[in-house]
Amino acid sequence: MFESLPIVNPSFIEPQTVLQISQRSGAFNLLPKQSLKIRLSTNDLYVYIKTLEMRSTLNSGQSAGNQLQGPAFISKLRSTPTYMVRSEVEFNHHDVAAAGVWDVDLMNAYRKAVHQSFAQNARDALLYGFNPTDGEGLLNTAGLTSVNLPPDMSNNTTFRTYDNGQFGLFLLQQIVATQIRLFQSAESGNKVVVLGPQRILATAIKANIVQLVQYQRAGAGTHTTGGMVTDVLENAGDLITWAYDDTLIGKGSGGTDAVLIIIPELEDQGNHPGPNTNEFAKLQPAFTDCTAQYADMVAPREITTPVAGGVTDVLYERRITPGWGVRPEAITLLNISY
């Protein structure tokens, strides 16, 4: 695991180590407050959530009727399973000494490596679930809206050849369509998250310049596709977050890249004057999150046990749920050929 150090003396050894770097996923931006809900106990096997709908019925007439009707309620119970995620490491004093030659704190190295593994596992569970065929994971949510990238004016269908301005308009149309499905388009301050691979979103945000005939910033000057989308939404009072996760490469329909547009939580609509045709939504306690993922603790539990022969065993465990699209209408999946 830790090899010997063949060096030539005299020499200088840089005290710092070149470490492996991995992508820090932006997938957790898809959750309200960008984090898992720490609500579970260690032995909880399912998370349940109650849903309540109402069907209004009134009698109208110039004279009072004798047979009257009132609202009817439809209650349902929805659930998602939890999964125990575990990892284990073992080492002895020889392993600690070998790591020390490389200036590595072995216990801390194991801890950080395991924590990264748990974070990657939580990301996979959020996006794809543990059992995708059961509808687990945001990407597999039943009832989400899936949209293919249509041909542009030159009949291009891949991102690399697509017109930059038209791609920006396509993104804006899908974001607004998501707001419309949630009845949020009249609200200012919508939080919208767009998650996709770097090769699509980073290019759109940083490199693809929109032509002047399609978009021009106030005061002159061009902008990128992502800059145009951000400007238009911010001018309408909305907040957009661009996030990256390269595991979405090839995860769209037919092997295309997947890009997710999600509104993680509903905005408060209770401050408007006049009659409220959404009055029922003010009933408390109300669950306003559109996506969710639960865990029993922020970081995995560590259980350290001495083993015969001078070995130390460390068990790491945490219970989490897959990603849960509580409101499928808040999720738009874009299938984009690169």
Side-chain angles (χ1 to χ4, degrees):
M1 182 165 57
F2 287 93
E3 300 177 355
S4 59
L5 278 171
I7 59 176
V8 176
N9 280 319
S11 61
F12 168 76
I13 299 179
E14 171 62 53
Q16 297 174 318
T17 303
V18 179
L19 298 174
Q20 171 191 325
I21 185 169
S22 302
Q23 183 182 47
R24 181 164 185 169
S25 173
F28 298 105
N29 285 285
L30 300 176
L31 295 170
K33 298 179 176 61
Q34 297 82 52
S35 62
L36 286 71
K37 291 178 179 289
I38 311 302
R39 303 281 179 83
L40 303 180
S41 68
T42 302
N43 297 319
D44 288 338
L45 299 180
Y46 276 84
V47 174
Y48 291 94
I49 189 168
K50 303 179 289 291
T51 68
L52 182 64
E53 299 177 7
M54 75 92 172
R55 300 291 182 268
S56 59
T57 306
L58 298 172
N59 293 85
S60 301
Q62 289 186 299
S63 58
N66 293 322
Q67 293 183 339
L68 304 179
Q69 295 175 305
F73 299 108
I74 302 172
S75 58
K76 296 179 183 178
L77 191 65
R78 297 169 58 187
S79 65
T80 190
T82 71
Y83 294 86
M84 178 63 75
V85 182
R86 310 179 90 196
S87 181
E88 186 179 37
V89 299
E90 290 186 349
F91 56 90
N92 58 26
H93 61 287
H94 297 295
D95 299 321
V96 174
V101 174
W102 288 79
D103 299 324
V104 173
D105 177 352
L106 185 60
M107 185 61 199
N108 196 35
Y110 271 131
R111 180 179 292 114
K112 291 191 179 302
V114 169
H115 281 204
Q116 176 168 318
S117 299
F118 272 76
Q120 290 170 332
N121 174 267
R123 181 271 314 279
D124 292 345
L126 172 65
L127 295 178
Y128 315 112
F130 293 95
N131 292 296
T133 55
D134 293 339
E136 295 178 3
L138 299 182
L139 218 65
N140 304 304
T141 300
L144 65 71
T145 298
S146 181
V147 181
N148 296 326
L149 182 67
D152 68 5
M153 58 187 176
S154 300
N155 211 33
N156 297 312
T157 57
T158 65
F159 174 77
R160 286 175 294 180
T161 59
Y162 214 79
D163 180 83
N164 300 342
Q166 278 196 263
F167 187 72
L169 292 174
F170 170 72
L171 288 177
L172 282 170
Q173 289 166 355
Q174 300 311 315
I175 290 170
V176 172
T178 307
Q179 292 175 320
I180 290 173
R181 289 196 303 273
L182 279 174
F183 303 115
Q184 297 287 293
S185 55
E187 299 301 312
S188 62
N190 275 172
K191 297 172 185 146
V192 181
V193 180
V194 182
L195 177 77
Q198 292 180 97
R199 68 181 188 178
I200 289 181
L201 290 190
T203 303
I205 293 170
K206 299 179 179 180
N208 286 0
I209 302 297
V210 177
Q211 301 301 318
L212 279 172
V213 294
Q214 295 167 310
Y215 176 78
Q216 185 172 14
R217 287 184 292 175
T222 59
H223 219 327
T224 62
T225 301
M228 179 189 84
V229 174
T230 300
D231 271 4
V232 172
L233 288 176
E234 288 183 350
N235 286 338
D238 296 327
L239 175 65
I240 184 167
T241 298
W242 303 95
Y244 308 119
D245 192 292
D246 284 352
T247 67
L248 290 168
I249 293 174
K251 294 300 194 300
S253 175
T256 57
D257 289 2
V259 174
L260 284 167
I261 297 173
I262 288 181
I263 297 177
E265 54 190 314
L266 301 177
E267 296 300 320
D268 183 15
Q269 300 186 30
N271 297 322
H272 294 284
N276 188 353
T277 55
N278 189 41
E279 184 73 20
F280 185 70
K282 294 168 66 175
L283 185 68
Q284 296 297 324
F287 188 86
T288 59
D289 295 348
C290 300
T291 59
Q293 187 178 24
Y294 293 82
D296 62 344
M297 56 191 69
V298 175
R301 174 188 288 110
E302 294 184 18
I303 303 173
T304 304
T305 308
V307 182
V311 175
T312 299
D313 179 280
V314 184
L315 174 68
Y316 301 83
E317 65 177 29
R318 183 170 71 156
R319 185 175 290 277
I320 66 171
T321 68
W324 195 1
V326 179
R327 297 181 187 271
E329 58 272 23
I331 304 174
T332 298
L333 169 62
L334 307 181
N335 306 293
I336 300 175
S337 296
Y338 179 68

